[in-house]
């Protein structure tokens, strides 16, 4: 039986939490109400990511587009208190320093409008461009002095407007070691808040047992460079994009995550297309655990949602879809008529398939509990097949994530040797079984598998499933079920409505349908999950969806506890 001991180091690092690149804001005006209410926002509220990266902060950002971002933020990151990192996608090319200074002033003006007029207070970081791009992808990697010039102007422009928005450098994407970080540490530390890099793993596949140690070492090396920067102050490292790529350099439609095809580019998480997505979640989780244990501040997965299918944009007077696409396209790296960018935890297909992918039930539960402002605890375990991280939250609760790479069950004895452990409530246990993913069509996170208390010696014993991820947490509040009132179905509008639940622990609603007034809500008669207080039955749903197939004239609406 493997033994795992968790202790508190004398001076633990702080973890800032996991997050996603949220590209879907660009398409907020294009998004069907049911898609946003029942998937994009519902799932985001439930997993409550601790960090967001997206493309924004453009010098030519139109008021209409900024207002779109602010309206989206109001229903997403404002609800979850999620800090935002903006990078301006491809980056503008300028031909003299006067133009660059003018550019920086325009960026500051746009951010000032969002922060101080539209109340988008969560904007925390900014970078000149995505992955050192400037009209072309990655070109500033060979001209870091120009990147420094842009950030110097931006720093001055932000100071002039008293904007509390830190600059991140360098946002590069490459295999470790991340060499441009060395340049930024040596040449840009005085104008840089923290450092940021990306990593798409191609040196190891998702089955590699060496990946965890390899990635943790490279993260730790870079973290130590950052914390030694700037003398006594120190700076942190953020992994601004993370994922796995397969078939690099082959340009093979089946094997390659990224390949060129006639007129289009395939840019996907290939494991979701070859039947390995459920298992890949273990490797994606290992990346997070390695980063946490190395002292990384945040790790961001690419992406929360797929991009919509490509669209040939044009100016339109009569076609509202084309008109909104045209507004969005100019801010999306100039690729949206060429690229199938399908790396999300949830699909976005033209046929209305917005279903949640298998990986969500792993990364979702890990994101929810490996949360911001937590102290990283030491984990000692002699079993090579178990990879884990443990966090002590600000309120004294504890969350532990364990990846079992073994093909067999592991009976684990866990000892929590920290102060006040005896006062903790029982641990809830959440399981992700890569061979039997706990999926449902609504994207609702899985129910707890068990509750376990520490014994008198602060031990607990639990059997880990083979090739699985298990989360143990005391970070919950039990609350009796709360039902919405005034539930009414309007046959003329084909719509269900109800009164809002104002309970502080409310997260979203589950809607149930039955054939008698006293029916008992269950997974079998659930027809929707949503953040809204309306449910339209005439919307575009897949034929196999519950809302089209569960029958009855009676409805019940349950408020779901965000701390359940």
């Amino acid at each position: 039986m493997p033994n795992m001991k968790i202790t508190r180091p004398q001076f633990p690092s702080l973890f800032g939490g996991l997050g996603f690149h949220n590209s879907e804001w660009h398409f907020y005006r294009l998004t069907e109400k049911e898609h946003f209410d029942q998937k994009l926002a519902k799932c985001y509220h439930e997993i409550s990511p601790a960090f967001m990266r997206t493309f924004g902060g453009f010098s030519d950002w139109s008021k209409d587009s900024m207002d779109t971002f602010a309206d989206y933020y109001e229903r997403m990151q404002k609800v979850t208190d999620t800090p935002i990192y903006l990078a301006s996608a491809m980056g503008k090319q300028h031909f003299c320093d006067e133009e660059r200074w003018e550019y920086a002033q325009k960026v500051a003006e746009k951010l000032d409008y969002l922060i101080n007029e539209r109340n988008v207070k969560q904007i925390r970081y900014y970078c000149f461009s995505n992955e050192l791009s400037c009209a072309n992808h990655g070109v500033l990697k060979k001209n870091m002095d120009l990147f420094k010039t842009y950030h110097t102007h931006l720093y001055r422009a932000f100071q002039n407007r008293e904007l509390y928005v830190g600059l991140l450098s360098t946002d590069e994407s490459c295999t470790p070691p991340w060499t441009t970080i060395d340049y930024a540490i040596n040449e840009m530390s005085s104008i840089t808040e923290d450092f940021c890099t990306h990593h798409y793993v191609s040196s190891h596949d998702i089955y590699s047992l060496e990946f965890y140690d390899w990635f943790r070492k490279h993260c730790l090396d870079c973290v130590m460079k950052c914390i030694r920067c700037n003398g006594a102050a120190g700076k942190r490292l953020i992994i601004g994009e993370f994922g796995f790529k397969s078939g690099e350099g082959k340009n093979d439609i089946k094997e390659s995550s990224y390949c060129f095809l006639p007129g289009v580019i395939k840019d996907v998480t290939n494991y979701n297309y070859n039947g390995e997505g459920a298992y890949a979640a273990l490797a994606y989780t290992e990346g997070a655990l390695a980063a946490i244990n190395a002292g990384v501040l945040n790790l961001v997965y690419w992406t929360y949602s797929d991009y919509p299918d490509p669209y040939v944009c044009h100016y339109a007077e009569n076609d509202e879809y084309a008109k909104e696409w045209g507004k969005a396209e100019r801010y999306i790296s100039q690729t949206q008529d060429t690229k199938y960018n399908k790396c999300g935890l949830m699909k976005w297909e033209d046929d209305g398939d917005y279903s949640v992918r298998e990986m969500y039930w792993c990364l979702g539960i890990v994101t929810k509990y490996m949360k911001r402002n937590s102290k990283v605890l030491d984990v000692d375990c002699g079993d090579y097949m178990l990879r884990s991280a443990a966090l002590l939250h600000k309120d004294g609760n504890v969350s532990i994530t364990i990846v079992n790479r073994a093909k067999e069950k592991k009976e684990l004895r866990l000892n929590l040797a920290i102060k006040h452990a005896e006062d903790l409530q029982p641990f809830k246990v959440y399981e992700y079984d890569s061979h039997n993913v706990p999926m449902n069509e609504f994207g609702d996170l899985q129910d707890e598998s068990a509750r376990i208390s520490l014994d008198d010696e602060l031990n607990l014993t639990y059997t880990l499933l083979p090739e699985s991820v298990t989360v143990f947490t005391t970070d919950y509040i039990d609350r009796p079920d709360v039902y919405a009132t005034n539930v009414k179905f309007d046959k003329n509008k084909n719509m269900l409505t109800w009164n809002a639940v104002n309970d502080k622990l409310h997260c979203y609603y589950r809607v149930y349908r039955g054939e008698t007034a006293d029916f008992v809500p269950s997974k079998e008669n659930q027809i929707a999950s949503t953040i809204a207080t309306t449910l339209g039955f005439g919307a575009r749903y897949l034929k196999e969806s519950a809302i089209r197939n569960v029958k009855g004239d009676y409805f019940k609406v349950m408020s779901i506890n965000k701390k359940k």
Side-chain angles (χ1 to χ4, degrees):
M1 177 189 296
N3 293 299
M4 181 177 291
K5 186 171 184 177
I6 297 174
T7 56
R8 184 189 189 280
Q10 188 173 8
F11 304 105
S13 65
L14 277 178
F15 181 53
L18 301 172
F20 300 88
H21 183 96
N22 290 91
S23 51
E24 70 280 353
W25 83 261
H26 295 281
F27 314 102
Y28 181 60
R29 304 294 186 212
L30 296 167
T31 309
E32 293 172 89
K33 182 181 186 303
E34 289 71 26
H35 179 195
F36 186 84
D37 291 346
Q38 297 178 32
K39 289 294 194 301
L40 293 173
K42 195 288 299 182
C43 292
Y44 202 79
H45 289 195
E46 186 170 22
I47 67 176
S48 192
F51 198 75
M52 172 202 186
R53 179 185 184 268
T54 195
F55 297 145
F58 315 99
S59 62
D60 59 350
W61 212 355
S62 68
K63 184 176 183 300
D64 180 76
S65 182
M66 286 191 289
D67 288 339
T68 295
F69 179 75
D71 291 346
Y72 162 90
Y73 159 84
E74 190 79 19
R75 304 181 69 194
M76 294 282 280
Q77 290 73 35
K78 185 176 180 179
V79 175
T80 55
D81 269 340
T82 303
I84 298 169
Y85 164 36
L86 300 177
S88 65
M90 191 60 73
K92 295 289 185 182
Q93 186 173 21
H94 303 95
F95 300 96
C96 66
D97 212 43
E98 183 180 354
E99 288 183 1
R100 295 182 191 106
W101 170 235
E102 182 180 351
Y103 161 86
Q105 290 176 293
K106 288 181 178 178
V107 170
E109 177 187 354
K110 306 301 183 185
L111 297 185
D112 196 350
Y113 169 75
L114 278 173
I115 295 168
N116 294 315
E117 293 190 42
R118 286 305 314 268
N119 205 36
V120 184
K121 300 297 186 184
Q122 294 284 5
I123 297 176
R124 178 67 183 87
Y125 291 111
Y126 182 84
C127 184
F128 166 71
S129 70
N130 170 58
E131 298 181 341
L132 292 170
S133 301
C134 185
N136 287 303
H137 182 263
V139 296
L140 290 178
K141 191 170 184 178
K142 297 181 179 179
N143 191 354
M144 291 299 297
D145 288 344
L146 181 56
F147 178 76
K148 176 184 176 181
T149 297
Y150 274 111
H151 269 224
T152 301
H153 288 317
L154 287 163
Y155 184 85
R156 177 185 167 197
F158 291 3
Q159 275 199 332
N160 288 349
R161 286 184 175 265
E162 298 182 345
L163 296 176
Y164 182 61
V165 178
L167 291 173
L168 284 184
S169 295
T170 60
D171 204 69
E172 74 166 319
S173 181
C174 69
T175 299
W178 298 293
T179 54
T180 64
I181 297 294
D182 294 335
Y183 175 94
I185 288 172
N186 293 326
E187 303 292 335
M188 300 175 61
S189 64
S190 64
I191 59 171
T192 300
E193 178 84 8
D194 287 311
F195 299 101
C196 176
T197 188
H198 300 177
H199 187 47
Y200 289 96
V201 184
S202 59
S203 56
H204 299 74
D205 66 26
I206 58 172
Y207 299 97
S208 171
L209 297 180
E210 288 75 42
F211 164 68
Y212 173 84
D213 288 335
W214 177 86
F215 188 56
R216 184 175 184 269
K217 177 186 180 300
H218 282 291
C219 286
L220 181 59
D221 288 346
C222 197
V223 163
M224 293 309 298
K225 290 179 183 179
C226 296
I227 203 66
R228 289 188 176 111
C229 173
N230 202 31
K235 297 184 187 294
R236 302 296 303 273
L237 176 68
I238 292 171
I239 307 297
E241 289 184 23
F242 178 81
F244 278 76
K245 296 290 186 183
S246 58
E248 289 287 279
K250 292 184 177 180
N251 206 56
D252 183 281
I253 189 170
K254 290 185 178 180
E255 294 187 31
S256 300
S257 297
Y258 196 101
C259 70
F260 298 93
L261 304 169
V264 296
I265 298 170
K266 171 193 173 188
D267 186 3
V268 307
T269 300
N270 213 48
Y271 301 108
N272 289 327
Y273 289 83
N274 64 12
E276 297 177 296
Y279 186 87
L282 275 62
Y284 276 71
T285 302
E286 280 192 350
L289 302 186
I292 291 169
N293 289 325
V296 168
L297 180 61
N298 299 96
L299 181 137
V300 177
Y301 291 109
W302 179 280
T303 55
Y304 177 64
S305 168
D306 283 354
Y307 280 68
D309 287 353
Y311 189 79
V312 178
C313 297
H314 61 93
Y315 179 79
E317 290 285 359
N318 302 310
D319 185 335
E320 284 299 318
Y321 188 84
K323 183 186 293 186
E324 292 300 330
W325 247 114
K327 293 176 183 178
E329 197 272 343
R330 63 190 286 198
Y331 303 118
I332 316 170
S333 300
Q334 305 158 11
T335 61
Q336 280 315 110
D337 59 353
T338 60
K339 184 177 285 189
Y340 284 88
N341 201 319
K342 305 290 185 178
C343 301
L345 291 187
M346 53 192 71
K347 300 178 183 179
W348 192 330
E349 304 289 347
D350 278 350
D351 64 0
D353 185 358
Y354 309 127
S355 56
V356 178
R357 292 191 170 101
E358 294 165 310
M359 205 178 289
Y360 172 82
W361 281 273
C362 182
L363 301 188
I365 205 76
V366 173
T367 297
K368 183 179 178 71
Y369 291 108
M370 306 306 277
K371 61 199 294 185
R372 182 172 61 252
N373 270 326
S374 297
K375 291 183 171 67
V376 181
L377 301 174
D378 284 340
V379 180
D380 182 27
C381 181
D383 193 318
Y384 179 67
M385 303 302 284
L386 302 182
R387 291 90 196 278
S388 57
L391 298 180
L392 176 63
H393 303 312
K394 181 71 173 175
D395 60 6
N397 281 305
V398 173
S399 293
I400 305 161
T401 295
I402 302 173
V403 177
N404 179 18
R405 282 284 196 155
K407 296 181 182 299
E408 63 276 349
K409 293 180 180 180
K410 293 270 188 178
E411 188 175 5
L412 173 72
R413 179 185 292 115
L414 188 153
N415 176 246
L416 186 61
I418 64 171
K419 188 184 292 186
H420 306 306
E422 66 277 7
D423 298 327
L424 292 171
Q425 62 182 334
F427 280 87
K428 278 190 176 185
V429 183
Y430 293 94
E431 294 177 314
Y432 173 82
D433 180 354
S434 67
H435 300 286
N436 185 23
V437 179
M439 298 178 69
N440 58 76
E441 72 168 272
F442 314 106
D444 296 345
L445 289 178
Q446 58 266 51
D447 294 331
E448 62 187 270
S449 299
R451 291 196 189 193
I452 308 177
S453 297
L454 297 171
D455 64 20
D456 292 341
E457 296 180 341
L458 304 180
N459 295 320
L460 65 79
T461 302
Y462 194 78
T463 302
L464 305 174
L465 297 173
E467 297 181 323
S468 67
V469 175
T470 306
V471 175
F472 300 85
T473 185
T474 63
D475 184 26
Y476 62 90
I477 298 173
D478 285 326
R479 182 198 72 167
D481 292 337
V482 176
Y483 286 89
T485 59
N486 200 29
V487 180
K488 294 181 179 179
F489 182 72
D490 188 322
K491 290 185 178 179
N492 293 325
K493 295 181 179 179
N494 202 18
M495 180 176 291
L496 190 72
T497 62
W498 57 89
N499 290 344
V501 172
N502 296 315
D503 186 293
K504 288 184 178 180
L505 292 176
H506 169 75
C507 186
Y508 67 93
Y509 302 98
R510 289 181 188 169
V511 184
Y512 303 88
R513 187 173 191 174
E515 296 183 346
T516 61
D518 60 350
F519 81 94
V520 178
S522 67
K523 292 180 180 180
E524 289 68 34
N525 55 39
Q526 183 179 355
I527 61 171
S529 289
T530 180
I531 64 163
T533 54
T534 62
L535 181 65
F537 284 72
R540 186 168 63 145
Y541 297 102
L542 298 179
K543 290 181 179 179
E544 63 272 19
S545 62
I547 198 168
R548 290 189 179 277
N549 293 287
V550 176
K551 305 301 180 184
D553 296 326
Y554 298 90
F555 300 90
K556 294 182 181 181
V557 179
M558 182 189 295
S559 165
I560 300 303
N561 174 10
K562 65 183 177 183
K563 295 282 288 183
K564 75 181 185 70

